[in-house]
Amino acid sequence: MATKNFPPNFVWGTATSSYQIEGGWNADGKGPSIWDAFTQIPGRIHEGETGDVACDHYNRWREDVQLMKQLGVNAYRFSIAWSRILPDGTSNQVNQAGIDFYSQLIDELLANGIQPWVTLYHWDLPLALEMEKDGWLNPEIADTFADYAAVCFEHFGDRVKNWITLNEPWVVAVLGYGQGVFAPGRTSNSEPYLAAHHLLLAHAKAVQVYRSRFQPTQGGQIGMSNNCDWREPLTDSPADVEAAQRALEFFVAWFADPVYHGRYPQCMIDRLGDRLPKFSEEEIALLKGSSDFFGLNHYTTMLAADSGGEVVQGNVYGNGGLSEDQDVVLQQDPAWELTKMQWAVVPWGCKKLLHWLADRYDNPPIIITENGGAFPDELKDGQVDDQDRLQFVKSYLTACQETIEEGVQLRGYMLWSFMDNFEWASGYSKRFGIHYVDFETLERIPKASAVWYSKVIAANAIVD
Ligand code: GAL
């Protein structure tokens, strides 16, 4: 195999999020989040599991940083639990123990040569904001989020140079307010668009605060992480080609067009009528150009066909936006290999998506802030030989490397995930980690994929 080198200074990382790994759900003054509440509702989570303890990263972070050092990553993406810092979500009360926790983690990472990439919101909204203020449905949340962001920039910005405002606002809007499978568990065909609107404004206001008050002295960059699968037209008929395009616009352009172009995609404006809120001129000015890089979380590909006007039922995880608003039917090619999430392994879809984003947004710097897979890992003689995950990552990294050679400005790759963790509604039944976690003893064990990934990082190239 020809050597597949990555550019110098390529960002090599792994990713996690607060609720999925920390535990310590009520430790040292932390307030509850909507995920602490949602996991208590019978029937919502696989086997009633919760993130109360999760990987106990709250107590084992030093050990985790050592594992990262052994891996050789130069970046680690984690998120801050908003209610660990601001127990009721507002800056009226700052929890010093929460500040100290993240501050020590940041110091430990830097002391080990690892740059922190910090996500401000990875879905664990302070419960008080949901109960008392209607969460993301209330326009006030944009300012509340910007206040919280300012607290983080103030305490950590001297050392953190890479900020991600929101993780996957699509998931928050569609799974949280549309299909109700994630917290706060609401179902509606209009709330997702309202929640998304406020998520975008929250992002824009946080970026404004960063750029006006912190970036000039601290340096650093800020952006948003969007999730998007690739949508390949089922046939080359114009109707299917348009359907695939529409599906991508309802998925990622919903969030990225406002940030790069200052408006929602035309097909959403045309189809949603009053359900799609409007931005004021002032809001457009705030939004346009509000990301220094494009954060992309990418997992899979589906085939898209025009539904021919038939009503399409919303399917969980299946589509971008609400399916019935798009007239798109999705399916998988039966020849595709599936991960344990039933997501198809299609590396060429990653390539096509990267090109689509580069074309639509004028070739921005892109960081893959998540990519990886859940596989049926087995612990044998104290080891996990996860060749399926290794091949998955290898195939996607190969696609990434080729895309860079073709001129796309892909600057980094963060593998999801550093370790097995609480996989939302699937609880602990889906393992995404390159470190195996024994959820009884909380022991961490590097899998074969971790050993291989460390060689790739050391070589700055894809190795066998
Ligand atoms: C992403 C999410 C992560 C992780 C991953 C695997 O959507 O940001 O938290 O769960 O998917 O499902």
Side-chain angles (χ1 to χ4, degrees):
M1 178 172 107
T3 317
K4 296 215 170 264
N5 289 311
F6 283 81
N9 303 320
F10 195 71
V11 176
W12 290 107
T14 59
T16 63
S17 87
S18 45
Y19 188 72
Q20 294 179 275
I21 66 162
E22 283 180 3
W25 75 277
N26 64 352
D28 306 326
K30 176 181 171 291
S33 80
I34 55 173
W35 272 93
D36 290 316
F38 189 66
T39 51
Q40 297 304 311
I41 303 176
R44 297 296 181 270
I45 311 292
H46 174 260
E47 295 190 357
E49 289 161 342
T50 74
D52 288 3
V53 178
C55 307
D56 193 31
H57 173 75
Y58 186 68
N59 295 305
R60 291 166 196 256
W61 53 275
R62 274 182 209 279
E63 179 194 339
D64 290 336
V65 174
Q66 282 315 303
L67 288 171
M68 285 176 218
K69 190 183 180 186
Q70 283 166 31
L71 198 59
V73 286
N74 54 39
Y76 170 50
R77 174 177 178 235
F78 64 93
S79 77
I80 292 178
W82 185 341
S83 63
R84 197 179 288 291
I85 295 215
L86 307 179
D88 75 355
T90 72
S91 52
N92 295 341
Q93 190 205 334
V94 178
N95 181 32
Q96 189 57 43
I99 301 280
D100 293 346
F101 169 68
Y102 294 110
S103 208
Q104 288 181 328
L105 172 63
I106 290 162
D107 286 344
E108 187 79 358
L109 287 165
L110 290 171
N112 286 282
I114 302 166
Q115 284 296 319
W117 282 67
V118 178
T119 309
L120 292 169
Y121 186 69
H122 201 124
W123 312 347
D124 41 358
L125 187 76
L127 184 61
L129 294 181
E130 182 65 40
M131 293 182 68
E132 298 165 11
K133 304 274 185 185
D134 290 339
W136 292 104
L137 299 178
N138 185 336
E140 281 176 28
I141 193 146
D143 286 321
T144 314
F145 179 74
D147 281 353
Y148 154 62
V151 172
C152 295
F153 302 145
E154 193 181 315
H155 287 90
F156 312 127
D158 55 336
R159 290 155 291 156
V160 173
K161 303 301 168 194
N162 304 285
W163 294 98
I164 294 165
T165 52
L166 305 174
N167 178 68
E168 306 188 352
W170 177 90
V171 169
V172 178
V174 175
L175 304 191
Y177 290 88
Q179 299 172 358
V181 293
F182 282 10
R186 297 178 64 87
T187 51
S188 160
N189 76 351
S190 60
E191 287 182 3
Y193 300 110
L194 189 61
H197 195 72
H198 297 148
L199 282 154
L200 280 160
L201 292 172
H203 157 84
K205 290 199 169 178
V207 172
Q208 183 195 33
V209 165
Y210 187 60
R211 288 190 174 159
S212 61
R213 289 175 44 201
F214 300 95
Q215 205 175 30
T217 49
Q218 295 177 348
Q221 53 174 352
I222 191 161
M224 187 196 286
S225 280
N226 281 301
N227 56 313
C228 195
D229 306 342
W230 175 246
R231 299 296 185 233
E232 180 73 8
L234 178 66
T235 72
D236 56 11
S237 76
D240 286 353
V241 172
E242 270 175 42
Q245 178 71 11
R246 205 157 60 236
L248 289 165
E249 291 181 4
F250 265 82
F251 206 152
V252 72
W254 179 9
F255 298 95
D257 275 17
V259 165
Y260 287 88
H261 301 152
R263 55 180 146 73
Y264 284 120
Q266 193 60 43
C267 78
M268 296 186 75
I269 297 171
D270 293 344
R271 285 169 173 263
L272 296 171
D274 290 347
R275 286 183 296 147
L276 189 69
K278 292 186 176 53
F279 295 116
S280 68
E281 287 303 317
E282 197 189 331
E283 289 167 344
I284 290 170
L286 271 190
L287 272 162
K288 211 170 162 182
S290 60
S291 280
D292 298 325
F293 58 87
F294 195 109
L296 173 68
N297 296 354
H298 175 73
Y299 286 93
T300 190
T301 285
M302 292 192 89
L303 302 170
D306 188 88
S307 74
E310 271 176 50
V311 177
V312 182
Q313 289 300 315
N315 56 336
V316 175
Y317 305 117
N319 214 338
L322 295 175
S323 309
E324 57 275 25
D325 291 329
Q326 300 175 45
D327 292 319
V328 177
V329 195
L330 297 176
Q331 58 184 275
Q332 291 170 327
D333 183 328
W336 289 342
E337 184 198 334
L338 301 180
T339 69
K340 231 191 150 192
M341 297 297 278
Q342 303 303 314
W343 298 344
V345 183
V346 190
W348 56 259
C350 179
K351 240 179 134 162
K352 288 197 175 190
L353 176 62
L354 287 166
H355 277 289
W356 189 89
L357 294 171
D359 289 349
R360 193 174 179 97
Y361 302 116
D362 200 16
N363 205 9
I366 301 176
I367 304 278
I368 293 192
T369 42
E370 285 181 30
N371 173 245
F375 292 95
D377 298 326
E378 261 183 75
L379 186 63
K380 268 194 211 145
D381 303 326
Q383 299 200 320
V384 180
D385 192 19
D386 59 338
Q387 292 300 320
D388 35 19
R389 180 175 292 101
L390 189 159
Q391 290 305 330
F392 177 102
V393 177
K394 194 175 186 176
S395 65
Y396 275 80
L397 274 178
T398 303
C400 288
Q401 195 273 347
E402 289 168 6
T403 314
I404 295 169
E405 290 199 336
E406 289 157 7
V408 171
Q409 289 199 69
L410 179 63
R411 300 275 172 83
Y413 178 90
M414 317 241 186
L415 214 167
W416 184 273
S417 176
F418 166 67
M419 60 183 156
D420 297 334
N421 56 49
F422 177 82
E423 178 52 31
W424 309 112
S426 306
Y428 297 98
S429 68
K430 302 286 190 294
R431 292 177 177 270
F432 273 90
I434 54 172
H435 291 88
Y436 183 88
V437 176
D438 177 327
F439 289 104
E440 297 295 317
T441 64
L442 296 167
E443 188 190 355
R444 285 89 157 114
I445 300 167
K447 302 180 191 175
S449 56
V451 176
W452 176 81
Y453 191 47
S454 71
K455 291 182 190 156
V456 170
I457 297 170
N460 200 39
I462 296 169
V463 296
D464 283 331

